[in-house]
Amino acid sequence: MLQGASRTVTQVVGVLLLAVGVAAFLSVAAVRHGFFDLQVYYGALSWWVHGGEIYDYLRPLTQYGFTYPPFAALVMLPMAYLPWLAAIVVSVIATVAVTAVLFWWLIDPISVRAGWTRWFALAVALCLVAAYEPMRETVNFGQVNMLLLFLVAVDLLRLLPAGSRWAGVGIGLATAIKLTPGIFIVYLLVTRRWRAAVTSMVTAAAASLVAGALFPDASREFWTEALWNTGRVGELAFVSNQSLRGVVARLDPEHPSTLAWLALALGTLALWAWRSRRAAAAGDEAAGLALTGAVMCLISPVTWVHHLVWLLPAIILLVDNAMAAPARTHRRRLLLVAALVGYALLTSRIVWAWEQDFTGLDGFLGSNTYVWISLALLAFLPVRRRLVAPGSTAEASGVPQLDEPDGRAPAAERHRVGRPLSVR
């Protein structure tokens, strides 16, 4: 008992020291954006409720306006009736809350397998993610990225593995709020989860139709004009655009090649489709979430740094795979180093060293660092076979519990269970 109390005290002190270290790092490294994007949403919605057209609004002295579909405006509408400080509080609390839940789902299997205290593993992970550049940018801009990731994760990590008839609703809602999560509908189609795919499409269509019925003028303007006005989004060659389109644009900012971008995007999609089908066949829904999040960042015309929170599941799964490998093996060391390097680079703001000049070989390699990480995760993230009984707690989490490069259980575990259980 005394040993357990001593361990708890050590863990509490460790978490407090880590939190202080992260706070010190943020005080130096974090860029304050003054909730810029949240100000755009807040200003557009306030303009709208007072009789203006939401897609005509531009934040004063900028080219930025509301770029999301009308259903997003409907969901965010209560914000217009809140004081500005209250809107900030709601944004931050919502982001932290969904991040904590998502991390609990993804990290709990690691803590169980490694013998770590669950609250300690979660607390450490939350401290580390606070330093992660895409997360701190999401919070400082007042962005909705983690809320959308959470909606998708509910489907892929909870509802789909459980065979729920509601699987697909989260993806549909996320797509209706912001179009880019629609790639997860394609994921469901590619992996032949027909019912969930239909549910997601019906949900997205129904949400859009409801918004269209309530706000016909705004819907007409979005689908016919605002959606196609790329100037409202920002400069493609800007170093914050860590997508394949950004890579191509930085090669020739004046005349970026659309053909080169399409060729790269199609090749990337082919790799993603192959790996996603392998993940689905193995029952590794967490890998499917991670792979699709990575490809979404790569093929989207604009992937700002804060959008790269979609890479978090992949980085966590690198650690999960490492801890599932036998101790002191090359595989465990390699995966832990990969997770550490990926996390460190994505925390470092390294791409901003080439913000003003991304020419030359060093500019090409350095200004696109986050793109290379996304590509590496898409190509090499391990896919594991689920070897737990359907309907169990571990099965419902959507996170495989055992791991081998060839999809088999370790020898001792194979002896214990006899053979892999059914894989859907």
Side-chain angles (χ1 to χ4, degrees):
M1 183 173 179
L2 290 177
Q3 184 178 4
S6 176
R7 181 188 185 191
T8 299
V9 170
T10 301
Q11 291 176 337
V12 170
V13 172
V15 169
L16 290 175
L17 290 175
L18 179 60
V20 170
V22 169
F25 171 78
L26 293 177
S27 69
V28 176
V31 177
R32 273 69 173 178
H33 299 291
F35 298 95
F36 183 95
D37 289 356
L38 188 64
Q39 287 185 39
V40 172
Y41 309 151
Y42 189 82
L45 292 166
S46 299
W47 168 272
W48 193 30
V49 299
H50 288 94
E53 175 50 61
I54 189 169
Y55 295 108
D56 290 341
Y57 174 83
L58 292 178
R59 189 177 184 271
L61 305 179
T62 76
Q63 62 180 351
Y64 297 104
F66 195 84
T67 58
Y68 294 168
F71 181 69
L74 176 61
V75 172
M76 296 180 185
L77 189 57
M79 185 192 307
Y81 300 97
L82 293 177
W84 169 238
L85 290 179
I88 293 176
V89 170
V90 170
S91 173
V92 173
I93 289 178
T95 297
V96 171
V98 298
T99 301
V101 175
L102 175 62
F103 273 33
W104 178 262
W105 293 341
L106 290 172
I107 291 171
D108 188 53
I110 305 176
S111 63
V112 172
R113 185 182 294 113
W116 301 337
T117 306
R118 288 171 167 174
W119 73 263
F120 176 71
L122 179 61
V124 168
L126 290 176
C127 287
L128 292 176
V129 80
Y132 181 73
E133 184 182 358
M135 175 60 78
R136 63 184 194 245
E137 294 280 284
T138 286
V139 174
N140 284 329
F141 272 116
Q143 263 285 343
V144 298
N145 306 305
M146 286 306 300
L147 302 177
L148 300 178
L149 174 54
F150 176 75
L151 285 174
V152 172
V154 169
D155 273 347
L156 297 189
L157 300 184
R158 312 304 291 184
L159 300 182
L160 196 62
S164 171
R165 69 180 67 181
W166 298 102
V169 170
I171 291 172
L173 291 174
T175 302
I177 292 171
K178 186 176 182 179
L179 300 180
T180 48
I183 186 66
F184 286 92
I185 298 179
V186 183
Y187 167 75
L188 294 174
L189 293 171
V190 165
T191 56
R192 301 179 182 179
R193 266 70 73 85
W194 309 119
R195 186 175 70 178
V198 170
T199 299
S200 63
M201 288 186 283
V202 169
T203 301
S208 299
L209 288 174
V210 168
L214 293 174
F215 315 116
D217 293 339
S219 296
R220 187 183 309 108
E221 182 169 356
F222 175 80
W223 296 108
T224 60
E225 296 183 27
L227 176 61
W228 314 105
N229 184 1
T230 56
R232 296 165 61 93
V233 177
E235 175 59 44
L236 291 176
F238 184 41
V239 75
S240 183
N241 184 13
Q242 291 293 304
S243 69
L244 292 172
R245 187 72 182 271
V247 173
V248 172
R250 282 185 284 278
L251 289 174
D252 186 0
E254 296 298 324
H255 305 286
S257 173
T258 300
L259 183 61
W261 169 58
L262 289 175
L264 289 171
L266 288 174
T268 303
L269 281 170
L271 173 62
W272 162 75
W274 173 63
R275 299 220 67 214
S276 293
R277 293 194 67 173
R278 285 191 60 204
D284 194 347
E285 302 296 354
L289 168 66
L291 293 170
T292 308
V295 83
M296 182 181 73
C297 294
L298 287 165
I299 67 170
S300 175
V302 175
T303 298
W304 302 133
V305 168
H306 55 76
H307 294 150
L308 297 175
V309 293
W310 290 91
L311 298 184
L312 281 170
I315 294 173
I316 293 172
L317 289 180
L318 285 177
V319 178
D320 192 5
N321 278 274
M323 299 310 299
R328 295 183 296 278
T329 60
H330 176 70
R331 176 176 171 82
R332 173 175 284 196
R333 288 193 295 270
L334 179 62
L335 290 172
L336 286 176
V337 168
L340 178 61
V341 170
Y343 169 80
L345 288 173
L346 284 162
T347 301
S348 68
R349 287 184 53 84
I350 188 171
V351 298
W352 297 99
W354 291 271
E355 181 180 4
Q356 302 301 326
D357 182 8
F358 39 73
T359 59
L361 180 60
D362 68 310
F364 175 71
L365 295 176
S367 69
N368 300 308
T369 298
Y370 299 167
V371 179
W372 311 142
I373 294 173
S374 298
L375 283 169
L377 290 171
L378 177 63
F380 300 113
L381 182 71
V383 170
R384 298 174 299 167
R385 186 173 300 275
R386 185 191 295 128
L387 302 175
V388 295
S392 69
T393 302
E395 194 274 345
S397 73
V399 182
Q401 302 299 297
L402 301 173
D403 175 51
E404 277 287 294
D406 61 359
R408 295 175 297 154
E413 190 67 24
R414 288 200 303 273
H415 177 74
R416 184 175 69 82
V417 300
R419 62 181 178 82
L421 298 176
S422 61
V423 177
R424 290 186 288 117

